[in-house]
């Protein structure tokens, strides 16, 4: 995550989520509208990506290379599953939790590109439950807010004791 920003009163500010800003904190009307639009957009992007992959496989099939069609379909299926699994982990646990092959951005860039339909499908599914990445951001924000409130209460108690000693 990024560095902590604060509000005017010193409380930790929530981190914005792409397409949602900070509407996820209060879940107001704008949040629900954005959730619906993001879900529809992700579904449309998934369908468009699947159509492009289908056209690519059809082109290979037309070239009369039947064994290549099977291998290509298998490769696309595996890449889609891997990219979807990686994206699910990013959206639920955060990018910092990626280890091993999932953490490879440059070495496996081709796999992530071919499997982008799986990543988009996972994004769509996650957007049906919450704003993608909201659970992680909410947990971090709640933890920072609780820490800030504890410190604020301790500071107020300390200041009250000092004021009582000065009066006595």
């Amino acid at each position: 995550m990024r560095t902590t920003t604060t509000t005017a009163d010193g409380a930790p500010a929530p981190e914005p989520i792409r397409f949602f800003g900070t509407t996820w904190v209060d879940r107001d009307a704008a949040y629900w509208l954005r959730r619906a639009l993001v879900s529809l957009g992700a579904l449309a992007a998934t369908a468009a990506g699947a159509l492009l992959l289908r056209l690519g496989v059809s082109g290979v099939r037309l070239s009369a290379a039947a064994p290549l069609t099977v291998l290509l379909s298998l490769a696309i299926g595996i890449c889609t599953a891997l990219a979807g699994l990686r994206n699910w982990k990013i959206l639920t646990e955060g990018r910092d939790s990626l280890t091993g092959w999932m953490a490879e951005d440059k070495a496996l860039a081709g796999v992530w590109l071919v499997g982008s339909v799986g990543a988009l499908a996972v994004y769509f599914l996650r957007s049906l439950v919450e704003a993608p990445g909201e659970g992680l951001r909410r947990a971090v924000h709640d933890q920072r807010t609780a820490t800030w409130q504890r410190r604020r209460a301790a500071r107020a108690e300390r200041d009250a004791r000092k004021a009582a000693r000065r009066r006595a």
Side-chain angles (χ1 to χ4, degrees), residues 32-47:
W32 294 108
L33 177 64
R34 289 179 185 194
R35 275 256 316 263
L37 292 175
V38 164
S39 294
L40 290 174
L43 184 61
T46 302

Side-chain angles (χ1 to χ4, degrees), residues 11 13-14 18 23 33 36 38 50 55 57 63 70-71 73 77 79 81 90 110-111 125 130 136 139 149 162:
R18 182 185 306 165
T23 60
L33 177 64
V38 164
L55 289 173
V57 171
S63 69
V70 173
L71 287 174
S73 298
C79 291
I90 288 172
V111 172
L125 292 174
E130 65 179 9
L136 183 64
Q149 287 174 342
K162 282 182 184 178

Side-chain angles (χ1 to χ4, degrees), residues 53-130:
L53 288 175
R54 175 78 174 122
L55 289 173
V57 171
S58 294
V60 172
R61 183 177 296 131
L62 287 175
S63 69
L68 286 180
T69 305
V70 173
L71 287 174
L72 181 60
S73 298
L74 186 64
I76 288 172
I78 290 171
C79 291
T80 299
L82 292 176
L85 180 65
R86 179 179 188 259
N87 201 25
W88 185 267
K89 189 164 177 102
I90 288 172
L91 293 175
T92 57
E93 299 174 22
R95 187 171 290 279
D96 298 337
S97 70
L98 295 180
T99 58
W101 61 269
M102 282 190 180
E104 294 290 329
D105 279 334
K106 292 184 180 180
L108 295 175
V111 172
W112 306 144
L113 180 64
V114 172
S116 61
V117 172
L120 287 168
V122 163
Y123 196 86
F124 166 70
L125 292 174
R126 196 65 193 163
S127 69
L128 294 175
V129 177
E130 65 179 9

